[in-house]
Amino acid sequence: MALLRPPALLLALVVSELHCLPWFINVSESQGPGTTIHSFSFNCTAHMPMLELVHVQPPTTFFNQPSLSRWQKIYVGTVTLNSLARLDALAVNHYELQLRFTCGNNVTEGPLYVYVYRDPGYSPCSGRFASPAGEIIQVRETVTPGAQLYTLLLPGLELQHAQISINSAQDPPYFPGPFSINGQGWLLAPSQGLKGQAGKVFQLQILVTFGQNRSCHGMLKVKVLPVPSSQISFLGQARNITILDDLAPGSQVVQVRAQGFDVRYEILSPVPCPLFSIGREDGVVRTTAPLELAQAWGTAVTRLQVKAYERLRPWASVDLDLTVNVRSVNRWPPRCLPAMLVTEIPETTPVGTVLNTFTCTDPDSPGSTLNYELRFHSPPGPASLCLRGRALEVNATLDCDTPGACFQHAASILVLDGGQPLMTTEVPVLVMVIPVNEFSPACVPHTFRIREDAGPHTLLGSVVGTDKDYPHNSIEYDISGGPTAFSVDRLSGTPTPGLGWKGGTRVDCKLRLWAPLLGEIHLLGSLDYELQTLYRLTVLVTDQSQDQDPTHRRSGSCTITIEVEDVNDHAPECQPPFQELTIYAPLGRSVEVTKVSCWVPQEPQRLVFSYSIVGGNSQSRFSLQGPILVHNNMLGPPWPEQPHTHELLIRVADAGPSIPHLSATATVIVHLVPWSTSTAATRTRSAAVTSMTTPLLVTDTEAFWQPEPWFVVVLTVTSALFLLALGWLFSRLFQGLAQMLQTPRKPAQALLLNSIQGTEESIEGFMEAPRMEMPQTPSSVMSLLFDGRAQDSRTGRDYLFNTLTGARRWL
């Protein structure tokens, strides 16, 4: 049947400003979801307006938030019913809607009153009865046949002469009999009863007819429950109850529940019970008198014996013992001594040390047990402190040698009483950990190398000191004794902020900390490898700012070895620097000429030199075997047949790893006399050489030789030819001398050239002298006078010479 509705919607009330509120609106209870309750317009030209539903009294969700639209420069607000709206004038006939209008900075609020009036043509079929699921009722199978199960008389039906009937089938065997509805709208049980129908659900379609051919439908479900067991028992129930002494008489203490059919309750003991009573049907225990413990201490504990029984079978009963504890109302938090704990402890404090024991009492209940909890604030979480009962103890090693490891611990001890409401007291705790200088600093031994020609202020290297105490790099350096040629910087690096102590408190400050601290070792003076090659320094490392007591310092040391590297700064010297020798060179043999003796006076330990001939060895007849100069006559022809002079330049350089390599040059003049074939005894001849410097001793060794007969013949013929050639040579020589005596004196340079040529000829003539005259030849050569002076074009040295023999004497 269609529900009757008013023929038209309410007209919109158009106003120019919202200050015309409040409004009074009448709405029929037949208005459904989406119905416009009220519309209004207002002006807001400069801003975007906003309309809100602030609240509804009585609270309900039947009304939507107002909508806002614009129509010809005018804003229109509309209030509508939402999809859940079900207006019922008999239930609520008045609603107050508080609306808020915002236009820029202007905010205006006002009420909208909605009155719901009865609609005679409105169908009362609503709620769960009219929903598809229907209304559900539960009855036991032992219900009396024809008993009243449910009332279907809806509000207002008695005025409309409504008729209610069941129009759904109730056929057996599912239905034991038909359900019926009387004229008063009561649903009655079947006349056969419901015995044996436990667990079944009967669905009944209800038709409600009212007014002029108007009707509505609803559904009713009847669920049949089994008969409970005849044994009665209390459900799980706490036997000890604690209440406060400020409960007013009639306040609920506890509700007991027993399992049975139509159960009743009563108090068996104590009788009479002056403080408590129990509801006969609901089992609610209530107070009947004030429970002030201050006036009646005997009310602190009351033991009740409660009986539960079935009304129809009083003999089926069960007892329950309850203990009601009355506690005073908790008015004061616990009081503690000390109320605040601030203490300092060294980081070496052993684990388990008790820092303080707290004494707390509850003014409301002296002697009661209190609970203590330790809460950490900085750093958060369990750390180095713990609470055992009322004692605050050190829980772990207080190591302050790690950045941020400790220094101070902020915590609090929360003390809780057992009263109601729960009262607590918080005791602030601040434990400052004082660092202790536990460890001595150390450094690693090191070896540095430096050249002996290094200048002052040269950096050799750095000594790195370490300290296990925090801060790890707060170290000073010093040299203990030792040579004064070196120094170490006491502090080096870059200052960084740190922590310090002031008045026994750890505070932030600017200390002269260095990160990292390196002891730089510098050279102060000069070095000499020849005087000292090795230095050992003992470097002391001393910590600072590691303890609250600034005088408590620790130190360590390490040995630094400095090796001086040799630098070659002295050239070798040869003695004598100039030698002039005369040797006889037999064919096919090597002859030792002389030994070059050189050394470095400033470095007598340097004995390794390299020798090389750098001048005068044009035919490679000379070689060096270390410092020994050797003439080699085994190289084959052409062998020298005439005496010849060789001026050799020998370079002597130091050898070894030292750089740079320095060298010197020794001059050796060798007069080479070819050896004649003869048999002679070995003898030694010493000749004194007239010199302007040091006399030179020349030693010749002659070997004895016994030739073959055929060789004697050949030698005789050769000697005859040699004598003839020698005679011719002497004749030419005399002719040259005669011409020289006849010519005037020439300049020194021409004289030098002629003397050199004459020297070569005289030497050749001298070498061709007979063998038996050789012992007198050197003495005659040495006895000659020097009649010329010249300068060597290659070396630049001046020398004297003899124009007849060509002999030289270096100046």
Side-chain angles (χ1 to χ4, degrees):
M1 178 178 177
L3 298 178
L4 295 178
R5 297 180 181 273
L9 298 177
L10 296 174
L11 295 177
L13 178 61
V14 179
V15 296
S16 59
E17 297 293 343
L18 200 63
H19 64 261
C20 294
L21 289 173
W23 296 294
F24 299 88
I25 305 299
N26 295 323
V27 179
S28 171
E29 65 178 353
S30 64
Q31 299 301 317
T35 301
T36 299
I37 298 300
H38 186 61
S39 296
F40 48 89
S41 62
F42 51 88
N43 293 328
C44 184
T45 58
H47 302 88
M48 176 64 68
M50 184 170 57
L51 185 63
E52 302 173 83
L53 176 60
V54 180
H55 61 81
V56 179
Q57 285 293 339
T60 182
T61 59
F62 288 173
F63 301 94
N64 291 320
Q65 282 289 336
S67 62
L68 192 63
S69 61
R70 188 172 183 177
W71 179 72
Q72 294 182 356
K73 299 182 180 181
I74 297 177
Y75 289 95
V76 178
T78 305
V79 179
T80 59
L81 295 176
N82 66 13
S83 60
L84 300 178
R86 296 291 187 272
L87 300 180
D88 188 352
L90 295 179
V92 178
N93 62 359
H94 174 265
Y95 294 96
E96 179 182 345
L97 282 65
Q98 188 71 18
L99 300 177
R100 178 186 297 160
F101 168 68
T102 303
C103 179
N105 296 328
N106 297 324
V107 179
T108 305
E109 289 191 8
L112 174 63
Y113 298 101
V114 178
Y115 292 95
V116 181
Y117 61 87
R118 290 292 309 276
D119 184 0
Y122 172 61
S123 172
C125 294
S126 61
R128 295 177 60 183
F129 173 75
S131 65
E135 183 75 24
I136 299 177
I137 61 174
Q138 296 179 350
V139 297
R140 296 192 182 276
E141 63 176 346
T142 57
V143 66
T144 304
Q148 178 183 345
L149 303 181
Y150 187 75
T151 299
L152 291 172
L153 186 60
L154 302 178
L157 290 183
E158 69 278 3
L159 301 178
Q160 303 182 36
H161 305 286
Q163 297 181 0
I164 305 175
S165 62
I166 300 175
N167 61 352
S168 61
Q170 303 184 58
D171 298 333
Y174 189 80
F175 280 82
F179 291 86
S180 62
I181 299 176
N182 62 13
Q184 298 177 342
W186 293 354
L187 177 66
L188 305 178
S191 58
Q192 295 83 0
L194 297 176
K195 193 69 175 179
Q197 305 299 318
K200 288 185 177 181
V201 178
F202 301 101
Q203 294 187 6
L204 304 176
Q205 294 286 346
I206 308 297
L207 175 62
V208 180
T209 303
F210 55 93
Q212 299 179 354
N213 298 325
R214 295 169 58 199
S215 64
C216 65
H217 295 272
M219 178 179 291
L220 190 64
K221 296 180 181 180
V222 181
K223 183 177 182 180
V224 182
L225 302 178
V227 177
S229 173
S230 60
Q231 183 178 2
I232 186 172
S233 62
F234 279 101
L235 301 177
Q237 181 68 46
R239 296 178 180 267
N240 289 280
I241 298 96
T242 301
I243 60 176
L244 301 178
D245 64 350
D246 62 345
L247 289 180
S251 300
Q252 179 175 337
V253 176
V254 67
Q255 183 178 17
V256 296
R257 295 181 180 274
Q259 183 179 6
F261 183 75
D262 199 7
V263 179
R264 299 292 185 266
Y265 303 92
E266 66 180 11
I267 295 177
L268 296 181
S269 176
V271 177
C273 185
L275 299 178
F276 302 98
S277 65
I278 189 169
R280 183 177 178 82
E281 296 181 359
D282 57 8
V284 176
V285 178
R286 301 178 183 273
T287 60
T288 58
L291 302 177
E292 288 288 344
L293 292 178
Q295 300 177 3
W297 186 254
T299 62
V301 179
T302 302
R303 291 177 175 83
L304 301 177
Q305 186 177 15
V306 179
K307 175 184 176 181
Y309 62 94
E310 293 185 356
R311 182 179 63 84
L312 301 178
R313 299 186 306 166
W315 62 87
S317 63
V318 64
D319 298 339
L320 175 67
D321 293 330
L322 292 178
T323 300
V324 180
N325 301 291
V326 180
R327 297 184 57 181
S328 61
V329 176
N330 204 17
R331 296 178 176 87
W332 304 99
R335 297 176 181 176
C336 298
L337 289 177
M340 175 185 295
L341 176 62
V342 178
T343 183
E344 293 180 351
I345 57 175
E347 64 172 320
T348 55
T349 303
V351 176
T353 301
V354 177
L355 302 181
N356 200 292
T357 300
F358 297 90
T359 302
C360 300
T361 58
D362 187 0
D364 295 317
S365 179
S368 62
T369 302
L370 302 177
N371 297 322
Y372 298 81
E373 296 180 3
L374 178 61
R375 297 184 177 182
F376 291 94
H377 303 299
S378 175
S384 302
L385 305 177
C386 68
L387 189 65
R388 301 186 187 278
R390 296 182 296 111
L392 182 64
E393 299 180 0
V394 177
N395 186 43
T397 302
L398 301 175
D399 185 10
C400 293
D401 297 327
T402 302
C406 60
F407 297 147
Q408 74 177 21
H409 296 271
S412 62
I413 296 179
L414 190 65
V415 185
L416 306 93
D417 59 14
Q420 291 293 334
L422 185 67
M423 304 291 286
T424 62
T425 296
E426 188 172 4
V427 180
V429 175
L430 180 61
V431 179
M432 291 175 288
V433 182
I434 303 173
V436 177
N437 196 0
E438 303 176 78
F439 307 99
S440 298
C443 56
V444 180
H446 204 280
T447 300
F448 299 106
R449 292 178 174 83
I450 183 172
R451 291 168 56 90
E452 66 172 328
D453 59 348
H457 309 293
T458 299
L459 175 62
L460 280 74
S462 300
V463 180
V464 180
T466 58
D467 193 353
K468 294 183 180 179
D469 293 309
Y470 181 81
H472 304 295
N473 52 5
S474 181
I475 297 175
E476 290 183 357
Y477 298 86
D478 198 2
I479 294 179
S480 176
T484 59
F486 303 94
S487 68
V488 61
D489 290 348
R490 292 179 61 85
L491 295 173
S492 59
T494 303
T496 58
L499 295 176
W501 291 94
K502 181 179 181 181
T505 304
R506 193 80 174 184
V507 297
D508 291 332
C509 60
K510 293 289 184 177
L511 290 181
R512 190 175 176 81
L513 301 184
W514 303 85
L517 282 178
L518 302 177
E520 296 181 349
I521 299 177
H522 294 270
L523 176 64
L524 296 181
S526 59
L527 302 175
D528 193 342
Y529 179 83
E530 288 72 26
L531 297 179
Q532 188 171 351
T533 62
L534 189 67
Y535 295 89
R536 284 187 172 87
L537 308 179
T538 300
V539 178
L540 295 179
V541 286
T542 306
D543 55 20
Q544 59 177 351
S545 303
Q546 303 285 22
D547 197 280
Q548 186 179 13
D549 183 5
T551 61
H552 185 202
R553 305 176 67 181
R554 292 177 177 268
S555 62
S557 64
C558 60
T559 301
I560 302 300
T561 303
I562 300 177
E563 297 179 354
V564 181
E565 295 181 350
D566 187 19
V567 176
N568 197 11
D569 52 355
H570 298 288
E573 297 181 6
C574 299
Q575 288 296 334
F578 171 79
Q579 297 184 50
E580 185 172 3
L581 306 171
T582 299
I583 64 170
Y584 297 92
L587 298 177
R589 294 184 58 185
S590 297
V591 178
E592 179 180 330
V593 178
T594 186
K595 180 179 181 181
V596 181
S597 178
C598 300
W599 69 92
V600 180
Q602 297 82 358
E603 303 177 30
Q605 74 278 5
R606 186 173 298 176
L607 302 175
V608 180
F609 301 97
S610 62
Y611 302 86
S612 61
I613 301 175
V614 296
N617 192 17
S618 59
Q619 296 182 358
S620 301
R621 294 287 183 177
F622 295 90
S623 63
L624 287 170
Q625 297 178 1
I628 300 175
L629 179 63
V630 178
H631 177 264
N632 190 359
N633 211 14
M634 301 177 63
L635 299 177
W639 289 294
E641 297 179 356
Q642 300 296 330
H644 192 72
T645 299
H646 298 269
E647 183 179 348
L648 304 177
L649 297 178
I650 299 177
R651 181 180 179 272
V652 182
D654 49 16
S658 299
I659 56 175
H661 295 290
L662 304 180
S663 62
T665 303
T667 303
V668 179
I669 297 178
V670 181
H671 300 289
L672 184 62
V673 179
W675 187 268
S676 301
T677 303
S678 63
T679 301
T682 302
R683 68 181 186 272
T684 301
R685 179 182 71 246
S686 299
V689 181
T690 304
S691 175
M692 298 178 64
T693 57
T694 303
L696 181 64
L697 179 63
V698 179
T699 303
D700 294 334
T701 303
E702 297 182 358
F704 177 79
W705 178 47
Q706 180 65 40
E708 296 293 334
W710 63 269
F711 185 73
V712 175
V713 177
V714 174
L715 184 57
T716 303
V717 176
T718 303
S719 299
L721 295 176
F722 176 71
L723 292 175
L724 292 176
L726 187 58
W728 178 79
L729 180 61
F730 273 113
S731 63
R732 293 291 304 274
L733 180 59
F734 291 149
Q735 293 177 4
L737 289 175
Q739 294 177 1
M740 184 182 303
L741 293 175
Q742 294 175 2
T743 58
R745 201 72 169 171
K746 297 182 180 180
Q749 293 183 357
L751 181 60
L752 175 61
L753 181 59
N754 294 334
S755 65
I756 293 174
Q757 296 176 355
T759 301
E760 294 177 355
E761 294 173 357
S762 64
I763 291 176
E764 292 177 359
F766 173 74
M767 295 302 294
E768 293 175 359
R771 181 68 177 178
M772 66 284 296
E773 296 179 359
M774 287 304 294
Q776 290 79 19
T777 302
S779 61
S780 62
V781 173
M782 294 303 176
S783 62
L784 295 177
L785 299 176
F786 298 98
D787 55 359
R789 178 171 180 171
Q791 186 181 40
D792 186 35
S793 59
R794 184 167 58 85
T795 63
R797 295 181 60 183
D798 293 339
Y799 59 89
L800 302 176
F801 62 90
N802 191 304
T803 55
L804 296 178
T805 63
R808 299 182 185 181
R809 174 63 62 197
W810 294 93
L811 298 179

